Amino acid sequence: MNIISGRRLALPVIALSLLLSACSGPGGSGFVNSTPEAYCQLSERSTLFLIDRTTTFDAGDQTLLTESLGNVVDRLETGDRIIIATISDHYSKTRQLANACKPGCPEAGGVMDEIVGSCSTMKAKQDQQQFMGSLATSLRDVITSAEDASGSDIIRTIGHWTGSSTAEPYTSIVVYSDMLENSDMIAWSKFSSLPEDELMSIVTGHGALARTPGANIRLIGYGRLHDEARSPLPAALDAKLRGFWTRYFFEGGGQVEFSARTDG
């Protein structure tokens, strides 16, 4: 009787072991945060944060940029990817400052997930501290020193980071820039004077269109001129440039929101 009872008790244990083995495999519920890149399995969302390095950041700029990136990071969910890159006087000079996914353990979906889940919450907290520290370091490097640039190749840089037909499009895009194009493709004198259709024709001819299907795009720092005083854009020029950028991103499939600088 004891032998039979032992066998009867062993069967459920064996079955449970087989079930756990099946569930913790690649197609199961288990998640192991063995490396920082592993968190990227938990989300398909991604954010591109571009920082224009061609304008010197004053104290107000530094505060606004820091707060803007902080707000973006706060809205990230576990596994969301963020890429931070620069805009320079030529798109080939763009630098990637960060490319990482937000650490964290997935929420348990039931009793079995709690049993098979292998995500270490302690490691996830440590990884999140490193994640935040890395972003802060990346930002500190760009806001404390500006490039001595004679132009700003905004359009082709955006095209460079979003135009790949083989990569998944970004969920959201944030551009910290005055959005005043001044490059060897479109000099400021033309960008500020040519009709919208002509500007779009130049962009199309250079293959610099954005690929932003479904993306939410926010432009931060818009509304100022290039002069030393960083004067507000005249109303007519403001409206003209808004029209161009709205069309540029719309033709890429995205919706754009403009955010003017706020002081105080």
Side-chain angles (χ1 to χ4, degrees):
M1 293 294 295
N2 289 336
I3 295 175
I4 294 175
S5 298
R7 287 177 178 173
R8 287 176 178 174
L9 288 172
L11 289 175
V13 173
I14 293 172
L16 180 59
S17 298
L18 292 173
L19 179 60
L20 291 178
S21 176
C23 289
S24 59
S29 302
F31 168 76
V32 180
N33 52 339
S34 54
T35 65
E37 189 67 19
Y39 298 108
C40 301
Q41 303 172 35
L42 302 176
S43 172
E44 296 181 352
R45 294 177 296 271
S46 60
T47 295
L48 174 66
F49 196 106
L50 292 175
I51 302 172
D52 193 340
R53 299 281 287 111
T54 64
T55 301
T56 302
F57 297 134
D58 59 22
D61 288 314
Q62 293 177 5
T63 299
L64 181 58
L65 176 54
T66 302
E67 291 178 350
S68 299
L69 181 57
N71 290 335
V72 169
V73 175
D74 286 344
R75 288 196 294 268
L76 294 178
E77 298 180 23
T78 298
D80 289 357
R81 183 183 295 276
I82 182 168
I83 294 175
I84 304 175
T86 61
I87 297 173
S88 187
D89 60 347
H90 194 272
Y91 76 91
S92 65
K93 295 181 181 179
T94 183
R95 288 194 300 127
Q96 181 177 281
L97 304 176
N99 182 354
C101 297
K102 187 173 183 179
C105 290
E107 294 183 5
V111 176
M112 290 307 299
D113 275 354
E114 293 177 2
I115 293 174
V116 304
S118 301
C119 182
S120 167
T121 55
M122 181 176 296
K123 187 177 188 307
K125 289 180 180 179
Q126 293 173 344
D127 288 342
Q128 189 162 24
Q129 290 177 346
Q130 293 179 355
F131 170 81
M132 296 299 293
S134 176
L135 295 184
T137 299
S138 299
L139 190 61
R140 189 181 307 116
D141 290 343
V142 298
I143 67 175
T144 56
S145 61
E147 292 183 356
D148 183 15
S150 59
S152 189
D153 197 0
I154 303 170
I155 296 172
R156 286 187 298 186
T157 302
I158 294 173
H160 170 79
W161 284 102
T162 67
S164 174
S165 59
T166 59
E168 288 295 321
Y170 296 100
T171 309
S172 63
I173 299 171
V174 180
V175 185
Y176 188 90
S177 172
D178 54 22
M179 304 305 291
L180 305 182
E181 175 80 9
N182 183 24
S183 65
D184 60 356
M185 181 179 73
I186 306 177
W188 168 242
S189 59
K190 291 185 177 181
F191 189 63
S192 59
S193 62
L194 288 180
E196 185 179 300
D197 287 343
E198 289 189 39
L199 291 176
M200 288 302 302
S201 178
I202 294 173
V203 172
T204 302
H206 281 81
L209 289 171
R211 179 173 172 266
T212 56
N216 295 314
I217 301 130
R218 189 179 179 201
L219 309 180
I220 302 174
Y222 176 82
R224 293 176 292 164
L225 285 170
H226 280 136
D227 59 3
E228 186 175 348
R230 305 308 309 279
S231 306
L233 285 172
L237 182 57
D238 187 315
K240 176 187 183 302
L241 298 184
R242 282 176 185 264
F244 168 79
W245 286 115
T246 298
R247 178 172 172 181
Y248 172 77
F249 286 111
F250 179 78
E251 292 199 4
Q255 298 288 333
V256 65
E257 171 191 351
F258 295 83
S259 294
R261 173 180 173 174
T262 55
D263 294 309

